[in-house]
PDB file of all heavy atoms in Angstrom:
ATOM      1  N   PRO A 184      86.224  48.800 -22.731  1.00  0.00           N
ATOM      2  CA  PRO A 184      87.401  48.382 -21.963  1.00  0.00           C
ATOM      3  C   PRO A 184      87.348  46.866 -21.764  1.00  0.00           C
ATOM      4  O   PRO A 184      86.329  46.332 -21.331  1.00  0.00           O
ATOM      5  CB  PRO A 184      87.241  49.117 -20.626  1.00  0.00           C
ATOM      6  CG  PRO A 184      86.221  50.188 -20.876  1.00  0.00           C
ATOM      7  CD  PRO A 184      85.323  49.636 -21.938  1.00  0.00           C
ATOM      8  N   GLY A 185      88.409  46.184 -22.102  1.00  0.00           N
ATOM      9  CA  GLY A 185      88.417  44.738 -21.953  1.00  0.00           C
ATOM     10  C   GLY A 185      88.105  44.311 -20.531  1.00  0.00           C
ATOM     11  O   GLY A 185      88.556  44.917 -19.569  1.00  0.00           O
ATOM     12  N   PHE A 186      87.307  43.268 -20.399  1.00  0.00           N
ATOM     13  CA  PHE A 186      86.898  42.717 -19.114  1.00  0.00           C
ATOM     14  C   PHE A 186      86.075  43.686 -18.275  1.00  0.00           C
ATOM     15  O   PHE A 186      86.050  43.576 -17.054  1.00  0.00           O
ATOM     16  CB  PHE A 186      88.100  42.205 -18.303  1.00  0.00           C
ATOM     17  CG  PHE A 186      88.654  40.907 -18.824  1.00  0.00           C
ATOM     18  CD1 PHE A 186      90.005  40.723 -18.981  1.00  0.00           C
ATOM     19  CD2 PHE A 186      87.803  39.877 -19.170  1.00  0.00           C
ATOM     20  CE1 PHE A 186      90.516  39.530 -19.467  1.00  0.00           C
ATOM     21  CE2 PHE A 186      88.293  38.681 -19.657  1.00  0.00           C
ATOM     22  CZ  PHE A 186      89.654  38.506 -19.807  1.00  0.00           C
ATOM     23  N   CYS A 187      85.407  44.644 -18.910  1.00  0.00           N
ATOM     24  CA  CYS A 187      84.446  45.475 -18.177  1.00  0.00           C
ATOM     25  C   CYS A 187      83.351  44.550 -17.655  1.00  0.00           C
ATOM     26  O   CYS A 187      82.712  43.831 -18.429  1.00  0.00           O
ATOM     27  CB  CYS A 187      83.843  46.538 -19.096  1.00  0.00           C
ATOM     28  SG  CYS A 187      82.471  47.459 -18.360  1.00  0.00           S
ATOM     29  N   MET A 188      83.149  44.539 -16.335  1.00  0.00           N
ATOM     30  CA  MET A 188      82.205  43.597 -15.739  1.00  0.00           C
ATOM     31  C   MET A 188      80.772  43.831 -16.203  1.00  0.00           C
ATOM     32  O   MET A 188      79.955  42.912 -16.226  1.00  0.00           O
ATOM     33  CB  MET A 188      82.297  43.669 -14.214  1.00  0.00           C
ATOM     34  CG  MET A 188      83.566  43.053 -13.661  1.00  0.00           C
ATOM     35  SD  MET A 188      83.690  43.162 -11.853  1.00  0.00           S
ATOM     36  CE  MET A 188      84.249  44.855 -11.669  1.00  0.00           C
ATOM     37  N   MET A 189      80.450  45.070 -16.561  1.00  0.00           N
ATOM     38  CA  MET A 189      79.112  45.382 -17.051  1.00  0.00           C
ATOM     39  C   MET A 189      79.012  45.215 -18.565  1.00  0.00           C
ATOM     40  O   MET A 189      77.929  45.291 -19.123  1.00  0.00           O
ATOM     41  CB  MET A 189      78.742  46.820 -16.669  1.00  0.00           C
ATOM     42  CG  MET A 189      78.698  47.083 -15.175  1.00  0.00           C
ATOM     43  SD  MET A 189      77.319  46.256 -14.381  1.00  0.00           S
ATOM     44  CE  MET A 189      75.942  47.180 -15.039  1.00  0.00           C
ATOM     45  N   TYR A 190      80.146  44.994 -19.220  1.00  0.00           N
ATOM     46  CA  TYR A 190      80.214  44.883 -20.679  1.00  0.00           C
ATOM     47  C   TYR A 190      79.523  46.088 -21.331  1.00  0.00           C
ATOM     48  O   TYR A 190      78.723  45.967 -22.246  1.00  0.00           O
ATOM     49  CB  TYR A 190      79.583  43.572 -21.157  1.00  0.00           C
ATOM     50  CG  TYR A 190      80.029  43.159 -22.549  1.00  0.00           C
ATOM     51  CD1 TYR A 190      81.291  42.642 -22.771  1.00  0.00           C
ATOM     52  CD2 TYR A 190      79.172  43.293 -23.636  1.00  0.00           C
ATOM     53  CE1 TYR A 190      81.700  42.266 -24.040  1.00  0.00           C
ATOM     54  CE2 TYR A 190      79.570  42.919 -24.912  1.00  0.00           C
ATOM     55  CZ  TYR A 190      80.837  42.407 -25.105  1.00  0.00           C
ATOM     56  OH  TYR A 190      81.244  42.041 -26.365  1.00  0.00           O
ATOM     57  N   LEU A 191      79.861  47.272 -20.809  1.00  0.00           N
ATOM     58  CA  LEU A 191      79.260  48.507 -21.301  1.00  0.00           C
ATOM     59  C   LEU A 191      80.283  49.326 -22.085  1.00  0.00           C
ATOM     60  O   LEU A 191      81.426  49.496 -21.641  1.00  0.00           O
ATOM     61  CB  LEU A 191      78.743  49.356 -20.138  1.00  0.00           C
ATOM     62  CG  LEU A 191      77.391  48.976 -19.532  1.00  0.00           C
ATOM     63  CD1 LEU A 191      77.117  49.830 -18.305  1.00  0.00           C
ATOM     64  CD2 LEU A 191      76.273  49.139 -20.555  1.00  0.00           C
ATOM     65  N   GLY A 192      79.859  49.843 -23.217  1.00  0.00           N
ATOM     66  CA  GLY A 192      80.710  50.737 -23.976  1.00  0.00           C
ATOM     67  C   GLY A 192      80.910  52.051 -23.238  1.00  0.00           C
ATOM     68  O   GLY A 192      80.000  52.541 -22.564  1.00  0.00           O
ATOM     69  N   HIS A 193      82.108  52.593 -23.317  1.00  0.00           N
ATOM     70  CA  HIS A 193      82.436  53.900 -22.764  1.00  0.00           C
ATOM     71  C   HIS A 193      82.716  54.840 -23.939  1.00  0.00           C
ATOM     72  O   HIS A 193      83.039  54.390 -25.033  1.00  0.00           O
ATOM     73  CB  HIS A 193      83.695  53.840 -21.894  1.00  0.00           C
ATOM     74  CG  HIS A 193      83.588  52.964 -20.684  1.00  0.00           C
ATOM     75  ND1 HIS A 193      83.017  51.705 -20.690  1.00  0.00           N
ATOM     76  CD2 HIS A 193      84.021  53.161 -19.407  1.00  0.00           C
ATOM     77  CE1 HIS A 193      83.087  51.185 -19.477  1.00  0.00           C
ATOM     78  NE2 HIS A 193      83.693  52.044 -18.684  1.00  0.00           N
ATOM     79  N   THR A 194      82.615  56.133 -23.707  1.00  0.00           N
ATOM     80  CA  THR A 194      83.068  57.078 -24.720  1.00  0.00           C
ATOM     81  C   THR A 194      84.173  57.941 -24.132  1.00  0.00           C
ATOM     82  O   THR A 194      84.231  58.164 -22.916  1.00  0.00           O
ATOM     83  CB  THR A 194      81.939  57.991 -25.243  1.00  0.00           C
ATOM     84  OG1 THR A 194      81.573  58.938 -24.234  1.00  0.00           O
ATOM     85  CG2 THR A 194      80.733  57.188 -25.676  1.00  0.00           C
ATOM     86  N   GLY A 195      85.052  58.396 -24.998  1.00  0.00           N
ATOM     87  CA  GLY A 195      86.139  59.255 -24.564  1.00  0.00           C
ATOM     88  C   GLY A 195      86.783  59.923 -25.757  1.00  0.00           C
ATOM     89  O   GLY A 195      86.587  59.509 -26.909  1.00  0.00           O
ATOM     90  N   VAL A 196      87.539  60.966 -25.475  1.00  0.00           N
ATOM     91  CA  VAL A 196      88.248  61.695 -26.523  1.00  0.00           C
ATOM     92  C   VAL A 196      89.639  61.084 -26.686  1.00  0.00           C
ATOM     93  O   VAL A 196      90.401  60.995 -25.719  1.00  0.00           O
ATOM     94  CB  VAL A 196      88.361  63.191 -26.177  1.00  0.00           C
ATOM     95  CG1 VAL A 196      89.169  63.923 -27.244  1.00  0.00           C
ATOM     96  CG2 VAL A 196      86.975  63.810 -26.037  1.00  0.00           C
ATOM     97  N   VAL A 197      89.942  60.652 -27.885  1.00  0.00           N
ATOM     98  CA  VAL A 197      91.251  60.063 -28.172  1.00  0.00           C
ATOM     99  C   VAL A 197      92.269  61.199 -28.273  1.00  0.00           C
ATOM    100  O   VAL A 197      92.170  62.050 -29.155  1.00  0.00           O
ATOM    101  CB  VAL A 197      91.217  59.263 -29.490  1.00  0.00           C
ATOM    102  CG1 VAL A 197      92.593  58.664 -29.782  1.00  0.00           C
ATOM    103  CG2 VAL A 197      90.151  58.172 -29.435  1.00  0.00           C
ATOM    104  N   ASN A 198      93.229  61.231 -27.348  1.00  0.00           N
ATOM    105  CA  ASN A 198      94.203  62.331 -27.390  1.00  0.00           C
ATOM    106  C   ASN A 198      95.643  61.857 -27.551  1.00  0.00           C
ATOM    107  O   ASN A 198      96.576  62.636 -27.415  1.00  0.00           O
ATOM    108  CB  ASN A 198      94.066  63.239 -26.162  1.00  0.00           C
ATOM    109  CG  ASN A 198      94.466  62.564 -24.872  1.00  0.00           C
ATOM    110  OD1 ASN A 198      94.832  61.392 -24.853  1.00  0.00           O
ATOM    111  ND2 ASN A 198      94.397  63.302 -23.779  1.00  0.00           N
ATOM    112  N   MET A 199      95.812  60.562 -27.854  1.00  0.00           N
ATOM    113  CA  MET A 199      97.133  60.054 -28.217  1.00  0.00           C
ATOM    114  C   MET A 199      96.949  58.826 -29.086  1.00  0.00           C
ATOM    115  O   MET A 199      96.162  57.938 -28.747  1.00  0.00           O
ATOM    116  CB  MET A 199      97.953  59.678 -26.976  1.00  0.00           C
ATOM    117  CG  MET A 199      99.362  59.174 -27.304  1.00  0.00           C
ATOM    118  SD  MET A 199     100.285  58.608 -25.839  1.00  0.00           S
ATOM    119  CE  MET A 199      99.535  56.988 -25.580  1.00  0.00           C
ATOM    120  N   VAL A 200      97.634  58.787 -30.212  1.00  0.00           N
ATOM    121  CA  VAL A 200      97.626  57.615 -31.087  1.00  0.00           C
ATOM    122  C   VAL A 200      99.062  57.364 -31.528  1.00  0.00           C
ATOM    123  O   VAL A 200      99.656  58.194 -32.222  1.00  0.00           O
ATOM    124  CB  VAL A 200      96.729  57.814 -32.329  1.00  0.00           C
ATOM    125  CG1 VAL A 200      96.768  56.566 -33.207  1.00  0.00           C
ATOM    126  CG2 VAL A 200      95.295  58.130 -31.928  1.00  0.00           C
ATOM    127  N   LEU A 201      99.622  56.236 -31.116  1.00  0.00           N
ATOM    128  CA  LEU A 201     100.982  55.858 -31.500  1.00  0.00           C
ATOM    129  C   LEU A 201     100.930  54.497 -32.178  1.00  0.00           C
ATOM    130  O   LEU A 201     100.469  53.525 -31.578  1.00  0.00           O
ATOM    131  CB  LEU A 201     101.896  55.782 -30.267  1.00  0.00           C
ATOM    132  CG  LEU A 201     102.065  57.060 -29.439  1.00  0.00           C
ATOM    133  CD1 LEU A 201     102.878  56.760 -28.188  1.00  0.00           C
ATOM    134  CD2 LEU A 201     102.732  58.149 -30.261  1.00  0.00           C
ATOM    135  N   ARG A 202     101.380  54.434 -33.399  1.00  0.00           N
ATOM    136  CA  ARG A 202     101.398  53.158 -34.112  1.00  0.00           C
ATOM    137  C   ARG A 202     102.730  52.460 -33.873  1.00  0.00           C
ATOM    138  O   ARG A 202     103.790  53.042 -34.074  1.00  0.00           O
ATOM    139  CB  ARG A 202     101.165  53.373 -35.601  1.00  0.00           C
ATOM    140  CG  ARG A 202      99.750  53.843 -35.904  1.00  0.00           C
ATOM    141  CD  ARG A 202      99.453  53.856 -37.397  1.00  0.00           C
ATOM    142  NE  ARG A 202      98.067  54.200 -37.640  1.00  0.00           N
ATOM    143  CZ  ARG A 202      97.069  53.325 -37.653  1.00  0.00           C
ATOM    144  NH1 ARG A 202      97.328  52.043 -37.449  1.00  0.00           N
ATOM    145  NH2 ARG A 202      95.832  53.708 -37.874  1.00  0.00           N
ATOM    146  N   LYS A 203     102.640  51.194 -33.434  1.00  0.00           N
ATOM    147  CA  LYS A 203     103.824  50.386 -33.175  1.00  0.00           C
ATOM    148  C   LYS A 203     103.683  49.098 -33.969  1.00  0.00           C
ATOM    149  O   LYS A 203     103.159  48.101 -33.472  1.00  0.00           O
ATOM    150  CB  LYS A 203     103.957  50.099 -31.681  1.00  0.00           C
ATOM    151  CG  LYS A 203     104.078  51.364 -30.828  1.00  0.00           C
ATOM    152  CD  LYS A 203     104.202  51.046 -29.352  1.00  0.00           C
ATOM    153  CE  LYS A 203     104.380  52.311 -28.532  1.00  0.00           C
ATOM    154  NZ  LYS A 203     104.509  52.028 -27.077  1.00  0.00           N
ATOM    155  N   GLY A 204     104.113  49.149 -35.223  1.00  0.00           N
ATOM    156  CA  GLY A 204     103.894  48.012 -36.108  1.00  0.00           C
ATOM    157  C   GLY A 204     102.408  47.857 -36.363  1.00  0.00           C
ATOM    158  O   GLY A 204     101.733  48.792 -36.799  1.00  0.00           O
ATOM    159  N   ALA A 205     101.883  46.667 -36.044  1.00  0.00           N
ATOM    160  CA  ALA A 205     100.453  46.424 -36.235  1.00  0.00           C
ATOM    161  C   ALA A 205      99.628  46.906 -35.049  1.00  0.00           C
ATOM    162  O   ALA A 205      98.398  46.878 -35.097  1.00  0.00           O
ATOM    163  CB  ALA A 205     100.211  44.937 -36.463  1.00  0.00           C
ATOM    164  N   ASP A 206     100.285  47.340 -33.979  1.00  0.00           N
ATOM    165  CA  ASP A 206      99.577  47.742 -32.766  1.00  0.00           C
ATOM    166  C   ASP A 206      99.300  49.245 -32.758  1.00  0.00           C
ATOM    167  O   ASP A 206     100.064  50.038 -33.318  1.00  0.00           O
ATOM    168  CB  ASP A 206     100.392  47.369 -31.526  1.00  0.00           C
ATOM    169  CG  ASP A 206     100.591  45.866 -31.399  1.00  0.00           C
ATOM    170  OD1 ASP A 206      99.600  45.125 -31.585  1.00  0.00           O
ATOM    171  OD2 ASP A 206     101.723  45.437 -31.115  1.00  0.00           O
TER     172      ASP A 206
END
Side-chain angles (χ1 to χ4, degrees):
F186 286 134
C187 172
M188 288 179 280
M189 298 290 291
Y190 200 74
L191 280 174
H193 297 44
T194 72
V196 177
V197 180
N198 68 359
M199 182 184 78
V200 180
L201 300 174
R202 292 189 175 274
K203 300 180 178 180
D206 297 315

